[in-house]
Amino acid sequence: MTNQPEKLYDNKTVRRKTRRAFLFFGLAILAGLGGFYWLIHQPEENGIGWPFRKVLSANEKLNHALYSNSREAKAYPATEAAKKARVNGDLGLGSTLNPDDWKLKVADFRNGNHDTLVFTLADIKKLPKTEVIFDFKCIEGWSQVSHWGGVRLSDFLEYYKLATHSGKGVSAGDKGDLPGYMGLQTPDRKYYVGIDMPSALHPQTLLCYELNGKPLPLDQGAPLRLIIPVKYGVKHLKRIGTMFFSDTPPADYWHEQGYDYDAAL
Ligand SMILES: Nc1nc2c(c(=O)[nH]1)N[C@H]1C(S)=C(S)[C@@H](COP(=O)(O)O)O[C@H]1N2
Ligand SMILES: [Mo]
């Protein structure tokens, strides 16, 4: 009798342990359900609950930090471009304009000098022509592949040594020497936008004077408009009158109406 193996557990112990295990799993499941309930009942921001939203903002911040000229809007073949590009928005185009009298005014930024520099269309056209064919997107919900021609804004700023504090070219790549933003306005200042400098210097961003290989029509911004494929249509200011540089975000027409400042795609 004495060397009979001791029973590890009697029935009572087994029952107790089983009950405990059930209780534990039950609680674990409840905790899981509770967490899920909590997750899906958080206040929403643009339809996204904040725990998810937090992850998105972190990604957005990362995007900003890593934003580089390598992020290009998809290019299309010219055959896919609309023969008749849609016209939308005429703020700042109300006054009559003789394209031959038009001049581009640029607030000089160098060495804190705030003189106004004046450029003719010929000053711009003498720089290499670049064409961009991309899907133009408006925040109103339409998009259209369209074909634009002009001079890269970065080429213009580089050639005339604009935009840096020191007066060096933007290609010197000295980020500390660049302002954070540039502003553009129609000649009557009724329409105006602010653009972050990395987007302004993006290789697809154009000072545009052609549509489908022909001179830009007046209602599409002749003689010179902005084409900035990394942004929604609101930023593609037609009929540029003035450009200036700033370390703080310049006034922006649609931002003042409540739209996102960046209007980035
Ligand atoms: N001067 C000026 N530029 C403007 C606008 C405007 O009202 N005035 N509208 C913007 C908007 S909302 C869009 S979608 C595009 C449309 O360009 P499009 O007429 O060539 O299609 O221009 C942008 N540039
Ligand atoms: Mo738009």
Side-chain angles (χ1 to χ4, degrees), residues 88 136-140 142 232-234:
N88 198 59
F136 192 110
K137 294 190 177 79
C138 171
I139 47 175
E140 286 164 36
W142 55 269
Y232 275 102
V234 285

Side-chain angles (χ1 to χ4, degrees), residues 29-257:
I29 287 166
L30 275 180
L33 282 177
F36 184 64
Y37 180 87
W38 173 84
L39 199 60
I40 61 176
H41 284 85
Q42 287 309 302
E44 296 197 344
E45 210 180 286
N46 303 322
I48 305 167
W50 77 254
F52 297 116
R53 180 75 223 158
K54 270 226 153 116
V55 177
L56 283 182
S57 324
N59 283 345
E60 272 161 21
K61 282 200 193 102
L62 204 67
N63 269 347
H64 267 269
L66 297 179
Y67 194 87
S68 76
N69 286 351
S70 60
R71 222 182 67 169
E72 294 208 9
K74 182 174 185 257
Y76 290 78
T79 48
E80 281 191 38
K83 297 283 161 292
K84 231 186 133 359
R86 180 165 177 160
V87 179
N88 198 59
D90 58 3
L91 294 160
L93 308 182
S95 50
T96 48
L97 174 113
N98 179 354
D100 298 331
D101 295 340
W102 174 92
K103 296 216 167 40
L104 171 65
K105 295 189 183 127
V106 183
D108 194 356
F109 193 65
R110 294 165 291 181
N111 309 313
N113 174 353
H114 288 286
D115 293 344
T116 302
L117 306 167
V118 178
F119 299 87
T120 62
L121 196 56
D123 294 331
I124 295 159
K125 280 190 166 175
K126 73 176 202 185
L127 298 174
K129 182 155 87 181
T130 302
E131 294 182 44
V132 177
I133 304 156
F134 77 105
D135 196 13
F136 192 110
K137 294 190 177 79
C138 171
I139 47 175
E140 286 164 36
W142 55 269
S143 82
Q144 187 178 56
V145 175
S146 47
H147 178 176
W148 310 90
V151 168
R152 279 190 179 129
L153 179 54
S154 61
D155 285 350
F156 173 75
L157 298 178
E158 170 70 17
Y159 186 84
Y160 291 106
K161 303 276 184 282
L162 303 168
T164 56
H165 289 278
S166 68
K168 274 191 237 151
V170 289
S171 72
D174 179 354
K175 289 220 168 78
D177 196 19
L178 280 173
Y181 298 86
M182 66 181 287
L184 298 98
Q185 306 166 328
T186 54
D188 65 5
R189 301 189 178 196
K190 287 194 174 146
Y191 196 68
Y192 40 93
V193 299
I195 308 271
D196 59 277
M197 225 40 208
S199 301
L201 298 178
H202 189 283
Q204 290 174 309
T205 300
L206 303 182
L207 291 177
C208 162
Y209 51 80
E210 272 182 15
L211 171 61
N212 288 330
K214 296 190 197 74
L216 195 63
L218 268 175
D219 55 4
Q220 296 196 288
L224 196 72
R225 76 174 296 172
L226 186 68
I227 285 293
I228 181 158
V230 294
K231 305 274 191 196
Y232 275 102
V234 285
K235 297 286 189 185
H236 299 230
L237 184 132
K238 302 191 274 191
R239 196 188 283 189
I240 307 171
T242 318
M243 300 197 320
F244 61 94
F245 308 97
S246 170
D247 285 312
T248 52
D252 186 278
Y253 185 90
W254 284 109
H255 179 59
E256 287 167 5
Q257 313 300 312

